[in-house]
Structures are given as structure tokens and as C-alpha cells.
Amino acid sequence: RYRVYRNGSYYNTDNRGAELLRQAVNEGYRKGFAAGRGDRNGRRNSNWSNSSDYRNGSYGYQNHVNRGQYQYYFRQGFQRGYQDGSNSRFENDYNGQYEYGSYDNGSANILGTILNQILNLQSY
């Protein structure tokens, strides 16, 4: 069993729920990274909130957790992924460490320490 602390309240969940919230952050990071890279490469204005994936926030959602919770954590990952993907310090073929995650062989993943900071899961 886990507790998630957000907006001044604790929410209880089980192992499956905790895994789905981790998935939300990871999926958000991946989608955000791709959107940020696409905007940078297309020389479009950088703004994650313009993305339909960000606004919807439900990519990968499953009914086992509250939709609002899932959307919140998806968007947290998306914002960080977008920032990494749109950062002009990194070239298109850069495989390595970004501010919030890593990109290796075509796969973007958020760093575990960042994931833990976002989720703040506590087992009890």
C-alpha cells in the first residue's frame, strides 16, 4: 500500500495504482520529449500547453486510478520531457543525459530521482 501526497492531501493506492502513476509520469515524459523535439525541429514556438496530448493528459490511462490523478502526473512528466526535447543545447542525434531524463537509442526516459520527486510515493 502507498500514499501519494499532492496539493496538501494524501491519497491511498495499492501497488498497481503506484505503478500506473509511475507510468503516467514516464508516458508524459516520452510524449513531451517528442513534442518538444518536434516543435524545436519545426521551428515552432515552444509551449507544452499547446499540445493536445498535454491538454488531454490521459495517454495510457487505465481505470484503476483516479483520472485526475493520472492526468496530473502525466502532465508533470510531459512538461519536463518537453523542456528536454526542445532544449537547443542538444542536437537531434544526441544520446545522453538531459536535465530531467535520458535519451538512448530512440527511447526517452525520465530519471528515477525526478520520478520520485514528482510522485512522492510513501509505502505504509
Side-chain angles (χ1 to χ4, degrees):
R1 297 182 53 111
Y2 293 92
R3 292 189 320 178
V4 179
Y5 183 77
R6 190 182 80 133
N7 293 337
S9 298
Y10 285 98
Y11 302 91
N12 295 327
T13 191
D14 58 12
N15 195 45
R16 182 171 176 219
E19 188 54 40
L20 288 172
L21 294 178
R22 284 184 194 99
Q23 173 188 314
V25 176
N26 279 314
E27 291 296 338
Y29 182 84
R30 289 181 192 113
K31 287 288 196 179
F33 189 93
R37 185 165 273 190
D39 283 354
R40 187 191 78 216
N41 291 343
R43 300 187 191 279
R44 292 182 290 273
N45 288 337
S46 294
N47 189 342
W48 63 72
S49 63
N50 288 338
S51 168
S52 61
D53 283 332
Y54 176 82
R55 288 191 310 270
N56 185 352
S58 297
Y59 182 83
Y61 172 72
Q62 296 176 26
N63 287 337
H64 191 75
V65 294
N66 175 281
R67 180 182 290 274
Q69 288 283 77
Y70 188 93
Q71 289 172 318
Y72 173 82
Y73 290 110
F74 179 91
R75 290 175 180 143
Q76 291 295 305
F78 191 98
Q79 289 175 13
R80 288 160 177 86
Y82 190 95
Q83 288 175 314
D84 279 354
S86 65
N87 192 329
S88 61
R89 289 188 325 195
F90 307 108
E91 297 299 322
N92 289 337
D93 57 354
Y94 174 79
N95 275 348
Q97 198 74 27
Y98 290 84
E99 186 173 354
Y100 300 107
S102 64
Y103 184 79
D104 191 28
N105 294 322
S107 178
N109 294 293
I110 197 161
L111 295 173
T113 54
I114 302 297
L115 177 66
N116 291 336
Q117 287 173 357
I118 294 169
L119 283 177
N120 194 19
L121 280 174
Q122 301 169 1
S123 62
Y124 70 99

